[in-house]
Amino acid sequence: MPPFYITTPIYYVNDVPHLGHAYTTIVADALSRFHRMRGDDTYFLTGTDEHGQKIEEAADKRGVTPIELADRVVERFRETWTNLGIANDDFIRTTEDRHKAVVSEVWRRIEQRGDITLGAYKGWYCVPCEAFYPETQLVDGTQCPIHKSAASWVEEPSYFFAMSKYQDRLLQHIADHPNFIRPENYKNEIISFVKSGLRDLSVSRTTFKWGIPVPDHPEHVIYVWIDALTNYMSALGAPGTPLYQRYWPATCHLIGKDILRFHAVYWPCMLMSAGLPLPETIMTHGWWTVRGEKISKSMPATRVDPNQLAADLGADALRYFLLREVPLGLDGDFSYEALIGRYNADLANDLGNLTNRCLTMAGKFAGGAVPAADPAVADLEAHAVLATTARECVAEAARCFEDYAPSRALEVIWRLVREANRYVDAVQPWKLAKDPTREAELAHCVRGFLEAIFWSARMVSPVMPDKARAILGQLGVTGEAAEHAVTSWPDPEAWGRDLPTGQVVGKGEPVFPRIDAERQEALLKRWIPEDALASAAPTTPAPAPTTPTRPLAPPVTFQDFQRLDFRVALIKAAEPVPKTKKLLKLRVDVGEPSERQVIAGIAAAYPPESLVGRKVILLANLEPATIRGVESQGMVLAIGDEEILGLSAIDKDVPPGTIVR
Ligand code: MSP
């Protein structure tokens, strides 16, 4: 079994977990659950970062000792991870002895290499970042570029790590290992940073005490990032111990973009100096924002409590939303409305409805048990399409998970869910039931949609472990069979015989009850804290309305306007039109029997993957045209003239094809 060792950053204990922390941990959890299903020897680590000036100051402010603060807050993290269904193999705290021992060992290795020298640090330091800043990077000469708060001037004796020595080796490593820093844009950012010249790094502090002492020089504490990064190794044990041998180097450090430099520059240089292997991939994700503002502890307006959302909606619905909504690597703006919208559309409507209606039909048309497949029917086109889609989706979703693209994996799984819904509508089992000559076809069809539900549930189980089990339970898959179903990825060859014939299925209770307008209102009231509403008032003045760039066009009559047929369109797929900069080729569902292809000039403003699953307004009766050799059937409404500033928004959850007037 190949090892798959995945880590999250360790979280600071100066405050309680928020949605940003939850995101990283949920992604890592889903990926590790997937790799377990694939049979990889999987190990998933998370933990807390408990040393440093920031924690010392936070504890002082609360009138407690740093360890008291850490002991209290670490419980909030543990609780949150339980509430969110996180199945980590270990949880490391940097105040544990096992961690301190490995940090000291790594320090000694670096020292023995001759890479540590005593000097004095004189410069700027941002405590919230726990990072040194050259003056040129500060805003207005004094403010941290990330926190926009005043950096502190520091002058103290310090040990320095000869990081500059590793500049060329690091560049070479990045060039030789294309998957070392992902996605590509972050790799490029690091390459230009390293090429601009690495400086030696101050790696000890003397003006406070809360940290791991430098071996043999206890008047210095080790710089908190050197301490923290080492957690990825210390949780396994020192080099040479059994867990270390089994899992090091890590397969993936999953991190937020704010801490890329520490992971992609400091950590590899430290490891090279210590003579230890480098992790395989540093996978970087973007930020969750609320109305464009980064979610953080210090901004009440952006505070989103994952515990509350999980309690009200179920952890799995939140996990699904976070993973599906934003492709890993991009930023995403969080809104409660979008969360409920996706819940209703993808979970209640697509997956929930499929399960419900199909189980009811299995009861009605197959005596509530899984019928046998019929090879003669399997070849008929209407039935063959479902089998082909299922096999393709199983293979493709696995590729997406393996490629750190959970959002795409879910999109692919939903292809099967929607195809199964379409299959039912196309085959119309209720009609087959009236025709005694088509009994075998009816049985085959019932088996087909039950298997489609079975595979969908198995494939979503890394993301929605509880709901997957609930669906399996309704299919009669329980006990060991359920365990097997969620710990092994479906085998494409097993389609048509993966559910035991004759197995009794349940009645179909709604797994994702729909959230109606009344409940939505009640939830929003509970979720949005009063102080958030108060501080949500824009801090920067709204941009002045821009003067139209061209005069208003001449009036049109109401009859003219009525000739235009606008519809809600759901974007199912998007890809660039080759050899163009502005154009995207979209596949959209406008509520018609088949999907349409539309060319939209919005590539400069929207990466294709950010569009899938979005609803837009389409001028649906525009005469088809061929644009750059590609046919376009309609036009997406976009905001802006020369430059695209936005897309038309739809503020209620309505099905594709709905009329807009
Ligand atoms: N302690 C350091 C990490 C040391 S790792 C060796 C740290 N901790 S943190 O608590 O401030 O944040 C850790 C991580 O939380 C971020 O890197 C990121 O993965 C996640 N997020 C925090 N806020 C976030 C958003 N608003 N959006 C997405 N993820 C964010 O940095």
Side-chain angles (χ1 to χ4, degrees):
M1 292 201 299
F4 180 81
Y5 173 32
I6 185 164
T7 64
T8 71
I10 45 172
Y11 303 103
Y12 287 128
V13 286
N14 60 332
D15 210 345
V16 296
H18 59 61
L19 193 78
H21 306 129
Y23 177 61
T24 318
T25 312
I26 290 171
V27 174
D29 184 68
L31 294 176
S32 66
R33 284 176 188 265
F34 165 77
H35 279 272
R36 267 188 212 115
M37 286 180 91
R38 292 295 269 184
D40 295 340
D41 179 15
T42 303
Y43 203 72
F44 164 27
L45 174 71
T46 187
T48 41
D49 191 351
E50 304 189 356
H51 286 134
Q53 192 173 356
K54 170 167 162 147
I55 307 303
E56 193 176 271
E57 286 181 6
D60 269 0
K61 233 192 239 165
R62 290 167 178 78
V64 294
T65 61
I67 192 67
E68 280 167 351
L69 175 66
D71 283 347
R72 199 189 297 161
V73 178
V74 74
E75 289 314 316
R76 301 292 297 276
F77 276 94
R78 289 192 204 271
E79 254 166 55
T80 303
W81 300 155
T82 307
N83 292 342
L84 297 180
I86 304 298
N88 46 308
D89 293 288
D90 195 0
F91 188 105
I92 181 99
R93 298 180 59 180
T94 53
T95 46
E96 289 175 73
D97 287 342
R98 61 171 175 155
H99 171 73
K100 294 180 195 166
V102 177
V103 173
S104 303
E105 173 166 347
V106 170
W107 179 281
R108 283 190 196 283
R109 281 174 172 255
I110 296 175
E111 195 175 29
Q112 272 158 21
R113 175 87 54 190
D115 285 345
I116 288 195
T117 45
L118 186 61
Y121 180 76
K122 205 172 172 185
W124 296 97
Y125 191 78
C126 169
V127 178
C129 292
E130 294 281 20
F132 304 94
Y133 278 104
E135 192 155 322
T136 48
Q137 281 181 21
L138 296 178
V139 179
D140 296 335
T142 56
Q143 286 183 351
C144 158
I146 304 224
H147 293 90
K148 311 281 183 300
S149 56
S152 327
W153 180 259
V154 174
E155 280 188 39
E156 58 188 19
S158 174
Y159 284 99
F160 281 81
F161 164 50
M163 197 159 72
S164 53
K165 222 171 111 176
Y166 294 93
Q167 174 169 329
D168 293 341
R169 262 181 74 185
L170 179 58
L171 285 172
Q172 194 57 50
H173 185 86
I174 297 172
D176 293 345
H177 301 83
N179 286 334
F180 182 53
I181 304 170
R182 294 188 61 186
E184 205 65 17
N185 53 320
Y186 291 115
K187 181 199 291 190
N188 296 336
E189 185 185 311
I190 288 298
I191 292 176
S192 30
F193 174 74
V194 179
K195 279 192 176 157
S196 73
L198 285 188
R199 300 161 174 235
D200 291 349
L201 182 68
S202 161
V203 285
S204 75
R205 306 281 316 269
T206 42
T207 44
F208 67 94
K209 284 270 148 281
W210 184 236
I212 302 176
V214 168
D216 305 324
H217 302 283
E219 65 287 8
H220 289 252
V221 293
I222 295 177
Y223 173 40
V224 65
W225 270 101
I226 302 290
D227 168 347
L229 289 160
T230 309
N231 89 87
Y232 300 132
M233 188 179 285
S234 68
L236 302 177
T241 55
L243 270 187
Y244 173 94
Q245 298 292 64
R246 185 161 159 195
Y247 292 116
W248 193 260
T251 319
C252 172
H253 292 323
L254 182 70
I255 58 161
K257 65 178 181 180
D258 45 338
I259 53 175
L260 175 61
R261 199 172 288 180
F262 302 100
H263 284 80
V265 180
Y266 297 6
W267 182 225
C269 289
M270 277 170 66
L271 288 169
M272 286 191 267
S273 168
L276 298 167
L278 270 50
E280 190 177 304
T281 295
I282 294 159
M283 181 69 207
T284 312
H285 67 71
W287 281 346
W288 279 97
T289 55
V290 169
R291 288 182 291 273
E293 199 81 51
K294 182 187 177 217
I295 292 181
S296 73
K297 322 175 213 234
S298 52
M299 298 287 299
T302 65
R303 207 187 302 139
V304 177
D305 179 6
N307 293 291
Q308 181 75 54
L309 296 178
D312 289 334
L313 223 53
D316 283 2
L318 175 64
R319 292 167 61 107
Y320 173 80
F321 173 77
L322 292 176
L323 262 64
R324 173 65 187 83
E325 187 73 358
V326 176
L328 196 62
L330 301 183
D331 291 342
D333 200 53
F334 177 85
S335 81
Y336 295 109
E337 290 78 2
L339 170 64
I340 293 177
R342 251 204 202 282
Y343 175 95
N344 276 340
D346 298 4
L347 300 180
N349 270 8
D350 291 343
L351 182 57
N353 253 351
L354 174 72
T355 311
N356 239 345
R357 71 198 280 230
C358 288
L359 286 173
T360 308
M361 283 190 282
K364 230 167 153 179
F365 305 133
V370 179
D374 185 327
V377 179
D379 291 338
L380 301 177
E381 199 187 327
H383 302 276
V385 169
L386 182 66
T388 312
T389 309
R391 288 196 192 101
E392 278 173 9
C393 290
V394 159
E396 180 61 17
R399 274 196 292 275
C400 295
F401 274 125
E402 267 156 16
D403 196 32
Y404 300 104
S407 171
R408 258 196 292 133
L410 288 169
E411 201 183 307
V412 170
I413 298 166
W414 253 250
R415 215 158 74 208
L416 173 60
V417 171
R418 295 196 178 118
E419 181 55 45
N421 268 321
R422 218 177 346 250
Y423 172 68
V424 172
D425 294 338
V427 178
Q428 302 188 330
W430 48 94
K431 280 201 182 149
L432 298 182
K434 289 189 187 136
D435 182 349
T437 63
R438 300 180 77 184
E439 214 174 283
E441 202 177 340
L442 175 63
H444 186 90
C445 162
V446 172
R447 182 183 189 97
F449 57 61
L450 290 178
E451 286 223 327
I453 300 169
F454 184 43
W455 276 19
S456 305
R458 290 179 70 184
M459 288 193 284
V460 297
S461 71
V463 178
M464 296 195 284
D466 287 346
K467 294 296 184 188
R469 276 183 189 271
I471 297 174
L472 292 177
Q474 298 196 2
L475 289 170
V477 182
T478 54
E480 261 180 44
E483 194 52 36
H484 176 260
V486 296
T487 49
S488 62
W489 192 252
D491 168 9
E493 296 309 310
W495 175 259
R497 53 182 168 79
D498 213 20
L499 274 173
T501 302
Q503 175 164 289
V504 175
V505 300
K507 274 217 185 69
E509 304 293 326
V511 190
F512 302 101
R514 210 184 150 71
I515 298 173
D516 58 18
E518 203 180 319
R519 183 154 149 68
Q520 166 156 354
E521 200 179 320
L523 287 174
L524 292 181
K525 256 202 191 129
R526 182 149 70 224
W527 290 342
I528 306 180
E530 298 271 309
D531 60 342
L533 285 178
S535 54
T539 44
T540 42
T546 46
T547 347
T549 47
R550 57 177 161 77
L552 218 53
V556 291
T557 64
F558 184 62
Q559 280 80 0
D560 283 344
F561 170 72
Q562 272 191 317
R563 292 174 53 216
L564 305 178
D565 195 337
F566 295 103
R567 298 293 170 116
V568 171
L570 169 67
I571 302 179
K572 305 294 287 288
E575 59 181 86
V577 174
K579 298 196 196 120
T580 70
K581 282 211 176 98
K582 286 194 181 162
L583 301 182
L584 291 182
K585 185 163 85 179
L586 310 177
R587 212 159 32 76
V588 297
D589 175 358
V590 197
E592 299 161 325
S594 51
E595 291 168 359
R596 292 185 181 208
Q597 175 170 295
V598 176
I599 304 300
I602 54 175
Y606 291 90
E609 59 279 12
S610 71
L611 291 167
V612 177
R614 241 179 117 135
K615 286 186 186 139
V616 291
I617 297 174
L618 184 83
L619 175 56
N621 65 335
L622 185 69
E623 220 172 30
T626 303
I627 303 172
R628 297 290 190 102
V630 192
E631 184 174 59
S632 180
Q633 303 165 308
M635 188 172 67
V636 170
L637 295 199
I639 302 159
D641 192 5
E642 284 295 297
E643 184 193 354
I644 299 299
L645 304 170
L647 281 174
S648 48
I650 295 157
D651 68 351
K652 287 274 181 309
D653 176 30
V654 289
T658 305
I659 293 174
V660 180
R661 52 190 197 101

